[in-house]
Amino acid sequence: MMALFYRSFPRFVAVISIAVAGGLAATTPAPAHGGQCENQQVMVALTADRAAPRYRLATWLCTPERPTSAVQVLMSGFTYDHHYWTVASPGRRSYVQSAIAAGYAVLYVDRIGVGGSDRPPAQLVTADTEAYVAHQLVSRLRADRYRTVVAVGHSYGSLIWAAAAYHYDDVDALVLTGYLHATDVPTQLMIRDHLRPAPGAPEGYLTQAANFRRRAYLHPPGLVDGMADADERLRTTGTTGELMSLKKLADPTYTSRVRRPVLLQLGASDLLFCNAANGLSCAEPADLCAREKALYPQAALSATVVRDAGHSIQLHRSAVRASETALDWIDHTLGRGPYPRAVLDCR
């Protein structure tokens, strides 16, 4: 029951938009598209050792107006927290709002080490330990009323889900956004060179240099006014353990064991993964299939490309269309709708 999943905390409706300079508004839907979001603190461990310390994980469980047995679990990328999934410009839905409106329950979190969650020693926060955290969340959701669990990740969050699929194989489908195996090395090095110790954070916690993210993660022609400032305000921390885990982006070990349907979604102007001059084309879904199909030998792989978007897809004008495509693919994968036109089956 839910008592097994959550400690008891006051119930409130989650903030779905954020206030930033440049015209974005703060709103608090009540309820969000007929649903309701509950903020709870979940106690998790980083390993299965019974003596392992337990840490608080900030989570938000949103339920649609009609009861459902299907839930999506969202994981953000390196130096992002849950706001990546809830940010929205006026008149546009966030990913969370879109998923709730489509009839899904949604669990989104501040990953261990960011936002309202605890900060363990930096070297302990890795893709493998965060995969174990994800596994605990999935197990507890299944112990409640959710028979179907869909993993949705962005960037490093997608790496966490790949690691979780490798170790636990306990979700029904995966939407991996901002995640391919081959990276553009100059961009990768530029990102690493702009990491700094995070002020006021424990040793080994890092963040990006001020005003750097717009250079690496965003595609300015595709931005709503003020969203670059929003992204700067969303900047949070990563750990040295996570930084070491990012080396596994190029390693196909995790994805070699994925046995569930996978959707790869990438911004066409993602500087981290796309550079046609270096043989890293992202122009069409067929390019993603050609690059990734052999690295998912046991999975039914699909791919889609988001036009006018950089690495952080949800911060671009095309985010709503990207969310709708991902949700249409989830609907189809769960037997609820037709195959979406914007998605290519990699078979």
Side-chain angles (χ1 to χ4, degrees), residues 13 15-16 22 67 77 84 100 117 131 139 141 144 151 165 174 177 201 211 236 246 248 251 268 294 299 321 324:
V13 177
V15 174
I16 303 296
Y84 178 78
I100 294 170
S117 295
S139 298
L141 285 166
D144 185 46
L174 301 95
T177 75
N211 299 312
T236 181
L246 287 171
K248 297 185 178 181
D251 185 346
R321 185 167 68 251
E324 290 172 349

Side-chain angles (χ1 to χ4, degrees), residues 253-290:
T253 300
Y254 285 156
T255 58
S256 68
R257 285 195 189 175
V258 178
R259 299 191 298 124
R260 309 299 173 178
V262 175
L263 174 65
L264 300 177
Q265 185 178 73
L266 208 75
S269 298
D270 187 326
L271 297 181
L272 184 57
F273 296 105
C274 307
N275 187 338
N278 288 346
L280 302 176
S281 178
C282 303
E284 302 293 338
D287 296 321
L288 305 191
C289 290

Side-chain angles (χ1 to χ4, degrees), residues 16 84 96 147-148 165 183 193 212 239 301 306 312 320 331:
I16 303 296
Y84 178 78
V96 169
R147 297 193 302 271
T148 302
T183 59
D193 287 345
F212 168 73
T239 72
L301 188 67
V306 183
S312 297
V320 174
D331 283 347

Side-chain angles (χ1 to χ4, degrees), residues 167-234:
H167 290 295
Y168 309 108
D169 186 28
D170 61 355
V171 300
D172 298 283
L174 301 95
V175 177
L176 306 181
T177 75
Y179 172 73
L180 299 178
H181 286 81
T183 59
D184 181 62
V185 174
T187 300
Q188 185 180 31
L189 293 176
M190 178 179 67
I191 291 172
R192 291 175 67 97
D193 287 345
H194 285 80
L195 290 173
R196 306 285 187 268
E203 183 178 357
Y205 278 75
L206 311 169
T207 193
Q208 270 127 5
N211 299 312
F212 168 73
R213 291 157 76 93
R214 67 190 69 199
R215 293 171 51 192
Y217 299 152
L218 304 179
H219 178 57
L223 294 178
V224 177
D225 288 346
M227 196 55 83
D229 293 327
D231 189 39
E232 187 67 16
R233 292 173 185 244
L234 294 179

Side-chain angles (χ1 to χ4, degrees), residues 13-16 28-37 62-65 93-94 96-101:
V13 177
V15 174
I16 303 296
T28 307
H33 293 283
Q36 194 166 25
C37 298
C62 302
T63 53
E65 188 172 45
R93 288 174 173 169
S94 68
V96 169
Q97 288 174 311
S98 294
I100 294 170

Side-chain angles (χ1 to χ4, degrees), residues 47-259:
T47 72
D49 186 339
R50 290 190 176 185
R54 299 183 70 78
Y55 300 99
R56 290 179 302 109
L57 187 78
T59 77
W60 290 259
L61 180 64
C62 302
T63 53
E65 188 172 45
R66 292 187 176 183
T68 180
S69 62
V71 61
Q72 298 184 34
V73 186
L74 315 183
M75 291 285 174
S76 60
F78 187 71
T79 70
Y80 282 95
D81 63 13
H82 77 272
H83 286 104
Y84 178 78
W85 304 106
T86 62
V87 66
S89 56
R92 295 177 183 270
R93 288 174 173 169
S94 68
Y95 185 87
V96 169
Q97 288 174 311
S98 294
I100 294 170
Y104 290 95
V106 178
L107 181 73
Y108 60 93
V109 307
D110 280 342
R111 292 181 295 98
I112 283 291
V114 303
S117 295
D118 282 343
R119 287 163 173 73
Q123 72 275 13
L124 301 183
V125 183
T126 69
D128 289 311
T129 58
E130 289 179 89
Y132 183 61
V133 171
H135 172 60
Q136 291 167 82
L137 295 176
V138 172
S139 298
R140 290 164 177 172
L141 285 166
R142 290 197 186 279
D144 185 46
R145 61 184 179 275
Y146 296 105
R147 297 193 302 271
T148 302
V149 181
V150 178
V152 183
H154 169 246
S155 192
Y156 178 77
S158 294
L159 181 66
I160 291 171
W161 282 124
Y166 174 82
H167 290 295
Y168 309 108
D169 186 28
D170 61 355
V171 300
D172 298 283
L174 301 95
V175 177
L176 306 181
T177 75
Y179 172 73
L180 299 178
H181 286 81
T183 59
D184 181 62
V185 174
T187 300
Q188 185 180 31
L189 293 176
M190 178 179 67
I191 291 172
R192 291 175 67 97
D193 287 345
H194 285 80
L195 290 173
R196 306 285 187 268
E203 183 178 357
Y205 278 75
L206 311 169
T207 193
Q208 270 127 5
N211 299 312
F212 168 73
R213 291 157 76 93
R214 67 190 69 199
R215 293 171 51 192
Y217 299 152
L218 304 179
H219 178 57
L223 294 178
V224 177
D225 288 346
M227 196 55 83
D229 293 327
D231 189 39
E232 187 67 16
R233 292 173 185 244
L234 294 179
R235 178 166 53 106
T236 181
T237 60
T239 72
T240 51
E242 291 173 330
L243 189 60
M244 293 298 293
S245 295
L246 287 171
K247 294 181 178 180
K248 297 185 178 181
L249 281 174
D251 185 346
T253 300
Y254 285 156
T255 58
S256 68
R257 285 195 189 175
V258 178
R259 299 191 298 124

